[in-house]
Amino acid sequence: MAATGGPAGPLTGRIARIFSNQQTILLLVLVGMIILFSVLNPVFFTTDVFGNILLDWGPIALIAVAETFVVISGGIDLSVGATLGFAGVIAAYAMQAMTGAGLPDGLAIFLGTLVAAAVGIGVGLINALLINRAHLVPFIATLATLGAAGGMSIVLTGGAPIGNGPPSAISLSVPWLGPLSWPGIVVIIIVVITGLYLHKSRFGRYTFAIGSNPFAALAAGINVKRQITKIYALSGFLSGLAGMFLYLRLGSGAPTSGAGNELDAIAAVVIGGVALSGGIGRMTGTVLGSLILATVTSGLIIIGVEPNWKQVVVAILIAAAVSLQALRSKGRTS
């Protein structure tokens, strides 16, 4: 009996470890959703729908990646959605002026992207200043900038979208390589780079160290305040790029385009297995979490279900993800 049962034990253990891995579970959930939605409506399994999902995924992925760095460091950034909208509005005004001055579309779009990124970095630096110098907790600091950035977007625009920019801007979001568009390809490149930066660089190691134990990180010689400044500046930078992504998709800068997106970013991070207590997480989990959110949104619409049911599905996924984290933590400590 021992001879026949011996190999089965290690094999069973390996299978159990594979299916206890959160990334594996998320991938299975994503594949399961694709199969379910395709069965309920075959239109779902088409290049056009996948292209639309990737367009929905782009801005969510950027702010979710931003949130990943922040949450792993032990913080939270509630301003990513408002920064997205504010950066998109400012970039829209800048491109409107450049187009009116006769600048070529390509140059106007490039400069508009720089403007959006700069606005995002500015908001991120304000967050860092409030945390490091005013000694506000990240929740309060970023809640303040959420309100300020969101309010300024409405004040500057009167609530109306800002268009009359480069006429060819919206055409960049048209898929040309299967479901991929140019902005989508750029987002994938950014996600890959930031993932490597998080897991392979000293910046990433410092981020994990601060989230695990800021006092130990400080004792180890890490300049915690400087690292936090860099993390929130990076978060703002990626949020600004997300605002530009939405501009290219909509052809205008909408002041409310980022409203509520901070919740999607946090949901993607939590579903992806990043611990809200800090110090734990993987970029692959965040990518899969954001893909699941984008898939749920499009899938529910295509099968004719009220889109508000997305909140119910996301709530279930968050509860399942947090429960899995708790079980894994309990297993490590027992």
Side-chain angles (χ1 to χ4, degrees):
M1 292 294 291
T4 57
L11 178 61
T12 304
R14 285 195 296 269
I15 294 174
R17 284 194 296 273
I18 290 173
F19 283 93
S20 66
N21 182 284
Q22 190 140 345
Q23 276 73 46
T24 301
I25 295 173
L26 289 173
L27 184 59
L28 291 174
V29 169
L30 179 61
V31 172
M33 284 183 171
I34 292 173
I35 293 173
L36 175 63
F37 290 136
S38 299
V39 169
L40 293 175
N41 190 338
V43 172
F44 182 85
F45 201 78
T46 60
T47 301
D48 289 342
V49 172
F50 287 162
N52 187 68
I53 289 173
L54 288 178
L55 287 174
D56 288 339
W57 171 77
I60 296 175
L62 288 173
I63 60 176
V65 167
E67 200 72 58
T68 300
F69 280 89
V70 175
V71 174
I72 287 176
S73 73
I76 194 78
D77 190 350
L78 299 178
S79 68
V80 290
T83 301
L84 180 161
F86 184 55
V89 165
I90 300 300
Y93 273 123
M95 287 184 285
Q96 186 184 75
M98 287 185 279
T99 300
L103 263 68
D105 284 10
L107 180 58
I109 292 170
F110 174 73
L111 294 176
T113 303
L114 295 182
V115 169
V119 170
I121 291 173
V123 176
L125 291 175
I126 292 173
N127 284 330
L129 182 66
L130 292 173
I131 294 167
N132 288 332
R133 299 300 180 185
H135 302 292
L136 298 180
V137 296
F139 182 91
I140 299 300
T142 58
L143 182 63
T145 49
L146 179 158
M152 283 299 298
S153 297
I154 299 296
V155 168
L156 291 174
T157 63
I162 307 302
N164 298 322
S168 63
I170 196 170
S171 64
L172 291 175
S173 293
V174 177
W176 63 275
L177 184 60
L180 294 174
S181 62
W182 281 114
I185 292 172
V186 171
V187 169
I188 292 172
I189 292 172
I190 290 173
V191 168
V192 171
I193 291 173
T194 52
L196 292 173
Y197 201 49
L198 176 64
H199 296 293
K200 301 296 183 181
S201 74
R202 183 170 62 180
F203 181 91
R205 290 194 296 272
Y206 284 3
T207 301
F208 278 101
I210 292 172
S212 297
N213 191 326
F215 300 106
L218 187 62
I222 298 174
N223 189 323
V224 173
K225 289 186 177 180
R226 181 188 300 169
Q227 182 70 10
I228 287 175
T229 299
K230 291 178 180 178
I231 290 168
Y232 280 90
L234 174 62
S235 179
F237 169 73
L238 293 172
S239 300
L241 292 184
M244 187 64 191
F245 185 103
L246 273 183
Y247 177 92
L248 294 176
R249 185 177 185 188
L250 302 174
S252 62
T256 59
S257 58
N261 280 7
E262 63 278 353
L263 300 180
D264 285 338
I266 295 171
V269 167
V270 173
I271 291 170
V274 179
L276 289 176
S277 57
I280 298 173
R282 295 197 63 83
M283 193 62 74
T284 50
T286 294
V287 172
L288 288 170
S290 55
L291 270 173
I292 286 172
L293 292 182
T295 302
V296 167
T297 302
S298 293
L300 291 179
I301 293 173
I302 288 174
I303 66 174
V305 176
E306 175 63 38
N308 289 331
W309 277 97
K310 171 195 170 185
Q311 299 175 10
V312 178
V313 176
V314 171
I316 294 172
L317 291 172
I318 290 174
V322 173
S323 298
L324 181 59
Q325 287 181 22
L327 288 173
R328 291 171 64 188
S329 298
K330 184 178 180 180
R332 285 194 294 266
T333 56
S334 60

